[in-house]
Amino acid sequence: MPMHLPTFSQRYLQELPGDKLTTPAARQVHGALWSRVLPTRVPNPRLLAYSQPLANELGIDRALMGEASTAAVLGGNALWPGMAPYAANYGGHQFGNWAGQLGDGRAIVLGELLRADGERFEVQLKGAGPTAYSRAGDGRAVLRSSIREFLCSEAMFHLGVPTTRALSLVATGEDVVRDMFYDGNAMAEPGAIVCRIAPSFLRFGNFELPTSRGDIELLQKLGAFTLRHWFAHLGEPSKAAYAAWFREVAERTARLMAQWQAVGFVHGVMNTDNLSILGLTIDYGPYGWIDDFDLGWTPNTTDARQRRYAFGNQPAIGLWNIERLGLAILPLLDDDETALDEGLQAFQQTYAAEASQRFAAKIGLIFSSAHGDGALLQDLFTWLGGAETDMTRFFRALSSVVTLPAAPTAVPAVLAAASYAPISAAREESCVAWLQRWWQRTRAENRTPEQIAQAMNATNPWFVLRNWVAQEVIDAAHAGDLSKLHTALTVLQQPFQEQPAHTAWAEKRPEWARSKPGCSALSCSS
Ligand code: AMP
Ligand code: MG
């Protein structure tokens, strides 16, 4: 019986201007938002893993995922009917500087999957070979970074953080040469391709590029397309609709920043080409998860000196990026800077409210300034940052302290266990003082301690995909063992659930991981 294949639409290609050329030769592309390009063949596409929950959501059945012909499509060697591959043209600010045209240098959109209910999802291969935008790059991706993107996309989704998704991880059977530490030691590594899914992969940089070239007509076309398809609730394109749109993108980005902070996710490369117009987490490169609560921490070695994208800077950088977007779309706002200012203010207000609410929830509270919750949180951050304390373990353990019959008079063992070194007497004292204040405050909530504990456990994850866990999966995969990859994929699907069989992965960072490459810090080489 012939397998039921998904249906595809091509709105981006049909409604927006494209490049006349179709070769993958690197070039500057003017007056066009996309360039057709076919994925480059790979020797032996092999499906290593896929996300069953996402396949279900897309309406792709299990039998189809198991077909060799599907691995060929997800590895870039074949197309399903209706697919029309292209690379998108965009620019961006990288590390604070305008970088000009960037574009999909190793991502190729295969098409827009049209689900039976009318919902659409862009299907994109990352690592599928060169495009017009590859510049000096090879258009490929290595297995290690593909495992990281595949797993973290799904981990974020299950944590409830807006994100692009990852359908599949395919090994290409071909080596890719990378200088992992940019130190002159290039090595051949196995290549892979991740199939990413999102309603749209549009980035801030897609809007910046036309404006930077004075091509306002192209900007208007892209603006109208974006509004009609993704923000239809704001009405037909007009100055007012664009102002409302800018405010909404600012608010979505602010909420995303609050969610990253609340789960301890550090993106690592918040360039404007890596910020989604839909407020999704996009482009998982040298990201990392906070082990000890350190606002100055960055996983990205390329940013080790400047620390522009460090944990504590993410909200401010989100705002900086929103300002870049606002300046890029000023022509759509009739150059009215008040609309720009309103968007920036909306970002700040939304971030403040969302972060307060999310961090209060982490300590079991409905945020109340009347109760002094702002100061309570601030004092906790100060204490956490005072000596190495594991963020995830600490917050998770608090739910078993909230149910104690009286305010603690010593640091409970579950909390002490979140510390990376023995707690000093002075820190013990300040911790107990804070715990007493907090425990008393929880008694002013209109909920039982058990209800509070339950709510805390639904907001403080038991499992996050720490770099050293991802590295264990990668090391095993390099040795031919995919069992850890498959285990990780199931563990991350229930991050709020304690999973006794996998406690080793929910522990604080082990000492060996402190300095091991890939576990503490990563470069952009991927
Ligand atoms: P990223 O830092 O991954 O967001 O990438 C920044 C830009 O470099 C984007 O335009 C990417 O498409 C491009 N790029 C990154 N790696 C490669 C590669 N191996 N080959 C071609 N282009 C790449
Ligand atoms: Mg990128």
Side-chain angles (χ1 to χ4, degrees), residues 90 126 203 273-274 283:
Y90 55 82
K126 184 165 175 179
R203 305 134 190 278
D273 55 305
N274 290 342
D283 275 7

Side-chain angles (χ1 to χ4, degrees), residues 43 72 344 422 522:
L344 301 184
L522 299 107

Side-chain angles (χ1 to χ4, degrees), residues 90 94 101-107 126 129-131 133-141 176 178 203 269 271 273-274 283 285-286 524 526:
Y90 55 82
Q94 296 184 312
Q101 177 185 302
L102 296 168
D104 287 333
R106 56 163 166 181
K126 184 165 175 179
T131 74
Y133 310 101
S134 297
R135 293 171 286 153
D138 56 9
R140 293 299 186 192
V176 174
R178 286 288 180 275
R203 305 134 190 278
V269 202
N271 294 333
D273 55 305
N274 290 342
D283 275 7
C524 288
S526 57

